């Protein structure tokens, strides 16, 4: 067993995010582990850019209201205690609702061969962010 020392909280890069986003790297596995886990905190309206993960991504909402959208789909509201999965290669974005901070636990795997884990795309426009929301409740 190994107690892992926490890394300092860091601000997410504006190249990949819009608005104020901070993260804590919880775990970045070393070979043979491919596990990745970050706790990510979004200010209201903050969001990722469009992106995809080579092996998919799981988001578990800890607090606030998350907005998540797959390319071509409706925006889905996700609430504390709920978990959403985006499959490998699916382009998507996620962030906080306009009136709430949001924290999620992001879980994904790296490919294990040193290649790219995440492919980043365009910024999510305000029009896209404010698009129609699906009601899944």
């Amino acid at each position: 067993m190994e107690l892992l020392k926490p890394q300092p909280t860091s601000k997410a890069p504006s190249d990949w995010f819009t608005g104020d986003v901070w993260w804590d790297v919880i775990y970045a596995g070393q070979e043979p582990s491919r596990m990745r886990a970050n706790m990510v905190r979004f200010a209201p309206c903050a969001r990722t850019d469009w992106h995809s993960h080579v092996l998919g991504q799981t988001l578990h909402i800890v607090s606030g209201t998350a907005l998540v959208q797959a390319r071509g789909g409706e925006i889905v509201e996700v609430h504390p205690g709920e978990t959403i999965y985006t499959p490998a290669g699916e382009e998507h974005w996620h962030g906080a609702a306009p009136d709430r901070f949001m924290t999620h636990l992001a879980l994904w795997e790296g490919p294990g061969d040193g290649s790219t884990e995440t492919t980043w795309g365009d910024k999510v426009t305000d029009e896209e962010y404010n698009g129609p929301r699906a009601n899944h409740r």
Side-chain angles (χ1 to χ4, degrees):
M1 179 174 19
E2 177 184 0
L3 177 61
L4 302 174
K5 296 186 190 241
Q7 297 180 25
T9 298
S10 58
K11 188 158 180 36
S14 61
D15 289 351
W16 299 341
F17 294 83
T18 297
D20 288 324
V21 180
W22 295 82
W23 65 42
D24 290 292
V25 174
I26 295 171
Y27 185 71
Q30 302 300 312
E31 292 299 328
S33 172
R34 303 181 323 184
M35 179 66 188
R36 309 286 187 258
N38 285 1
M39 188 69 71
V40 189
R41 295 167 185 88
F42 293 78
C45 292
R47 56 203 181 255
T48 69
D49 293 354
W50 286 102
H51 65 286
S52 63
H53 301 273
V54 69
L55 296 174
Q57 182 183 48
T58 300
L59 303 174
H60 179 77
I61 309 310
V62 175
S63 65
T65 302
L67 302 178
V68 181
Q69 182 181 27
R71 181 72 79 177
E74 290 184 299
I75 297 169
V76 178
E77 280 192 18
V78 190
H79 300 95
E82 295 180 324
T83 302
I84 193 158
Y85 174 72
T86 56
E90 181 176 74
E91 196 173 21
H92 67 284
W93 65 267
H94 39 96
D99 58 349
R100 296 271 185 262
F101 283 86
M102 186 272 291
T103 300
H104 68 48
L105 178 62
L107 306 163
W108 74 101
E109 289 184 285
D113 61 5
S115 63
T116 302
E117 298 173 8
T118 305
T119 301
W120 291 96
D122 297 332
K123 294 279 182 202
V124 173
T125 66
D126 288 344
E127 182 178 90
E128 289 170 319
Y129 175 82
N130 292 310
R133 293 188 196 174
N135 186 354
H136 76 282
R137 289 189 159 198

